[in-house]
Amino acid sequence: MSATMLQVAEGLLALPGAKHLPHTYKDPISNLPTLPEAQVSDSSIPIIDLEALHGPRRSDIVKQLGQACQHRGFFAVKNHGIPRTAVSNIFDTTREFFHLPKEERMKFYTPDPNSDIRLMNAYKDEVANVFVARESLKFHCHPVENYVNKWPTNPPSFRKYAAEYLTNVRRVEITLLGAISESLGLERDYIEKKLGGHYASLNYYGACEQSDLELTYGVRAHTDPTIITILLQDDVPGLQVLSEDKWMDVNPIPGTVVVHVGDLLQAISNHKFKSLLHQAMVNCEKERMSIASYCYPSSDAMIGPPKKLIDNDHPAVYKDFTFKEFSEQMWKVITFTDTRLDSFKCSTA
């Protein structure tokens, strides 16, 4: 498997149809703006108060959330209810895992994209001539009891702390999806009923030499083939999003997680919500960690805009398709952006 295909497999872990399909490769990333410095965006990050969704201000918060999805493609969530100890513990165990000897970490390496757990190493992308510095451990995590026995036992705390954090994230996910459904004018459980897979990625970015920074990325620009992605950052900056054709820093805000729109939510919303193009940069002084939680539908879930979102003024942008069909198409035509959805567009769109 080439370096480029390693990156693809990293983004499409264990999706249906990952094997035995001939593919072509498209890389629209080369057409994106490359800016020497990103615009700092701390003050303009939409912040959603998750706790307020359970009170009398719910309708206001749902509206704020919908506006963030529509106009920005991402938002930060505060008062999410994930205990501070759970956050601290998952970072501690992530750091311990990636500080283990390489031979210990490599026990989880496999070229099989259908594996329930998979270590991804840093590599050079020969196509773009850049070094992608992220190391990550990706694994299925819902329901926890179905997968926990496949997770690492070194460090000894791994299974306990990963289960604790990911159980809390699942609760946050369900709450957010209910509010997102309502923001589209749908029943609260509309998206939740489609849920199936859920997996996590523990990401580690080692500090790199200053001289290497021009050619080194943490992760190259991409959108996620998910409904939503929930990202927990440590205190080291690195996340950037594309906004108005400019890369903007999304620096960590203590006590929050970052949530962004994935390709599948773009389709469900009839393109009202736009999948977020984002990337991760490395730091020349400090190591960086993040924990990503990816939300997927079940294989037979029907994706595409519900009839309630379609009328004469808002014709359907996408036709109905199953998640299995979507994931199989991703492996036939490899791309890193929401162009994954192009083959599911209506002929009149």
Side-chain angles (χ1 to χ4, degrees):
M1 184 179 290
S2 67
T4 298
M5 285 306 297
L6 277 175
Q7 186 182 32
V8 174
E10 182 178 15
L12 308 179
L13 172 71
L15 298 183
K19 292 182 178 179
H20 312 308
L21 289 172
H23 65 269
T24 57
Y25 172 71
K26 295 183 179 180
D27 185 12
I29 301 303
S30 58
N31 298 324
L32 295 175
T34 55
L35 301 177
E37 293 188 8
Q39 176 182 334
V40 177
S41 66
D42 281 7
S43 61
S44 61
I45 299 174
I47 300 179
I48 301 299
D49 186 345
L50 195 73
E51 188 176 43
L53 282 173
H54 302 292
R57 295 183 55 231
R58 181 178 179 88
S59 60
D60 292 336
I61 302 301
V62 166
K63 183 178 180 180
Q64 292 175 20
L65 190 153
Q67 290 174 340
C69 289
Q70 180 176 1
H71 300 296
R72 305 301 297 279
F74 78 102
F75 51 91
V77 176
K78 67 177 183 179
N79 295 327
H80 45 61
I82 303 174
R84 292 182 182 179
T85 54
V87 170
S88 177
N89 289 341
I90 191 62
F91 279 132
D92 286 346
T93 202
T94 298
R95 183 182 298 106
E96 289 182 52
F97 176 82
F98 285 104
H99 285 187
L100 290 172
K102 185 176 181 179
E103 58 269 21
E104 182 68 21
R105 303 196 309 274
M106 287 297 288
K107 292 178 180 178
F108 295 94
Y109 174 79
T110 172
D112 179 8
N114 282 341
S115 176
D116 287 334
I117 184 166
R118 190 175 188 212
L119 178 73
M120 300 299 301
N121 292 317
Y123 64 92
K124 183 177 180 181
D125 187 326
E126 301 291 349
V127 173
N129 193 32
V130 296
F131 185 73
V132 180
R134 179 175 69 173
E135 295 182 68
S136 59
L137 184 69
K138 297 178 178 290
F139 52 94
H140 285 269
C141 56
H142 181 78
V144 166
E145 58 271 19
N146 288 2
Y147 297 104
V148 65
N149 289 334
K150 300 179 182 181
W151 301 350
T153 56
N154 190 12
S157 62
F158 189 100
R159 292 181 176 181
K160 176 182 177 182
Y161 290 162
E164 177 187 28
Y165 173 75
L166 293 169
T167 298
N168 276 283
V169 167
R170 183 69 172 185
R171 172 186 50 78
V172 173
E173 175 186 277
I174 297 299
T175 301
L176 286 172
L177 291 178
I180 289 171
S181 293
E182 288 184 13
S183 75
L184 290 168
L186 305 172
E187 295 78 10
R188 185 180 297 189
D189 63 353
Y190 180 85
I191 298 177
E192 182 183 348
K193 287 180 178 178
K194 298 180 180 294
L195 290 185
H198 186 117
Y199 72 90
S201 177
L202 310 188
N203 305 315
Y204 178 82
Y205 307 83
C208 79
E209 298 294 331
Q210 182 73 42
S211 60
D212 295 336
L213 285 178
E214 186 174 345
L215 295 174
T216 302
Y217 287 80
V219 179
R220 290 183 63 208
H222 64 286
T223 63
D224 288 345
T226 61
I227 299 176
I228 60 172
T229 300
I230 300 177
L231 184 72
L232 175 68
Q233 302 188 84
D234 66 5
D235 59 354
V236 180
L239 176 64
Q240 294 183 342
V241 303
L242 194 68
S243 178
E244 298 179 345
D245 294 325
K246 293 182 179 180
W247 286 111
M248 301 176 64
D249 290 325
V250 182
N251 291 334
I253 301 174
T256 69
V257 294
V258 176
V259 179
H260 59 77
V261 174
D263 297 343
L264 298 175
L265 182 54
Q266 176 174 311
I268 292 170
S269 69
N270 202 32
H271 214 287
K272 181 177 182 179
F273 300 161
K274 186 72 171 64
S275 189
L276 182 71
L277 194 68
H278 58 287
Q279 64 185 12
M281 307 306 291
V282 291
N283 190 287
C284 62
E285 297 177 353
K286 297 180 179 180
E287 64 182 9
R288 176 177 178 263
M289 293 176 293
S290 67
I291 316 297
S293 301
Y294 303 101
C295 170
Y296 284 104
S298 59
S299 293
D300 60 353
M302 193 63 69
I303 309 300
K307 289 182 173 57
K308 194 171 183 179
L309 300 186
I310 300 170
D311 56 33
N312 291 335
D313 295 326
H314 305 90
V317 176
Y318 302 103
K319 56 188 177 184
D320 287 339
F321 57 93
T322 65
F323 180 54
K324 182 179 181 181
E325 291 170 332
F326 173 76
S327 56
E328 287 177 347
Q329 180 64 24
M330 282 195 299
W331 283 95
K332 292 178 182 177
V333 181
I334 303 298
T335 178
F336 299 113
T337 71
D338 62 348
T339 54
R340 302 180 185 104
L341 292 168
D342 283 357
S343 61
F344 301 104
K345 283 186 174 180
C346 295
S347 57
T348 56

